[in-house]
Amino acid sequence: TESCGVYGAGVTFDEMRYVFNYQVVRGVNIFNLFSVPYARTGFLMTGELPYITELHACYKDLPVFNAYLEKLSYVAGLGQIDNSVALYMPVWDIWAGEKAEYYDEMFDKIGKELEKEHIMFDVFDDDVLKMADSEMLNGGVIAMGDVRYSVLVLPPCKYMPASNIEKLERFIAGGGTVFMVRCDERPEIHGAKIVEN
């Protein structure tokens, strides 16, 4: 994550602790405290607030906070990964700018619905599909690290690369399940299950 960007110079470590704890219970376990600048003056100092430097009121507490994040990251990374569902982030659609807010809102809405139904899920994007192991893909599984996904959820999207559509069709043919939210603009993926939003 890039956490605490634009929080302002008055952000406290208690507020930052809340943000990181909120993320870790949702499965995030690698953190990037935003923003520690590359320099104390000049253009390398530019960026989003807060600037975590010697001038920040809580700077002296940063080593303790970093130790806390280190332990939090370690503990959150322990255990057996048991999650077979992944939600597609339509990055190309959001970046295209054309109805970006709609695609972003639908992605967020579907994620909240999955959480409401207590369905554990991870987020995946086109890079995950691009790097998917062909043999596992043909067997209805998409692997990412130690995780194996057999169910994918696709929000409305228009600009998914054709090569990834082909991979999703192979995934479905191998026994994987793809749920797509019904909308006017979506790729044609043979074998996908269409659901109402």
Side-chain angles (χ1 to χ4, degrees):
T1 65
E2 286 186 359
S3 303
C4 298
V6 302
Y7 268 54
V11 67
T12 66
F13 280 116
D14 195 46
E15 290 168 332
M16 292 193 297
R17 185 184 54 79
Y18 174 85
V19 169
F20 287 102
N21 287 346
Y22 183 90
Q23 292 170 342
V24 80
V25 298
R26 285 160 177 78
V28 176
N29 62 7
I30 299 175
F31 311 113
N32 176 16
L33 179 58
F34 210 80
S35 138
V36 178
Y38 292 108
R40 301 297 187 248
T41 60
F43 74 95
L44 292 175
M45 186 68 179
T46 60
E48 296 177 3
L49 291 173
Y51 297 133
I52 307 296
T53 69
E54 308 82 18
L55 304 176
H56 193 280
C58 299
Y59 184 78
K60 67 183 181 324
D61 301 318
L62 192 56
V64 173
F65 189 74
N66 284 340
Y68 172 75
L69 289 185
E70 179 182 16
K71 181 64 90 173
L72 196 60
S73 179
Y74 170 74
V75 170
L78 295 175
Q80 180 69 33
I81 300 170
D82 186 21
N83 178 23
S84 62
V85 180
L87 171 64
Y88 176 69
M89 177 180 272
V91 174
W92 294 108
D93 298 277
I94 294 168
W95 284 353
E98 173 191 338
K99 295 172 56 176
E101 191 172 295
Y102 165 74
Y103 293 112
D104 189 40
E105 285 175 2
M106 289 302 295
F107 169 77
D108 192 50
K109 177 182 176 185
I110 293 165
K112 287 179 179 173
E113 283 295 317
L114 291 169
E115 283 185 341
K116 182 176 150 190
E117 295 298 323
H118 304 288
I119 297 171
M120 275 196 340
F121 68 95
D122 290 335
V123 175
F124 79 104
D125 62 11
D126 291 296
D127 287 340
V128 172
L129 291 174
K130 182 180 178 182
M131 297 182 295
D133 178 89
S134 280
E135 285 185 40
M136 295 188 82
L137 188 71
N138 292 337
V141 173
I142 292 177
M144 186 171 80
D146 294 333
V147 182
R148 304 291 182 262
Y149 302 114
S150 58
V151 178
L152 304 177
V153 180
L154 274 59
C157 58
K158 181 179 178 182
Y159 296 112
M160 179 182 280
S163 59
N164 285 342
I165 293 171
E166 181 268 330
K167 287 185 176 186
L168 287 176
E169 290 178 345
R170 286 175 35 215
F171 169 74
I172 293 167
T177 303
V178 173
F179 291 103
M180 293 184 70
V181 173
R182 183 182 303 281
C183 66
D184 294 336
E185 298 174 343
R186 61 179 167 81
E188 185 65 35
I189 299 174
H190 296 39
K193 300 178 186 308
I194 308 300
V195 296
E196 301 297 329
N197 67 20

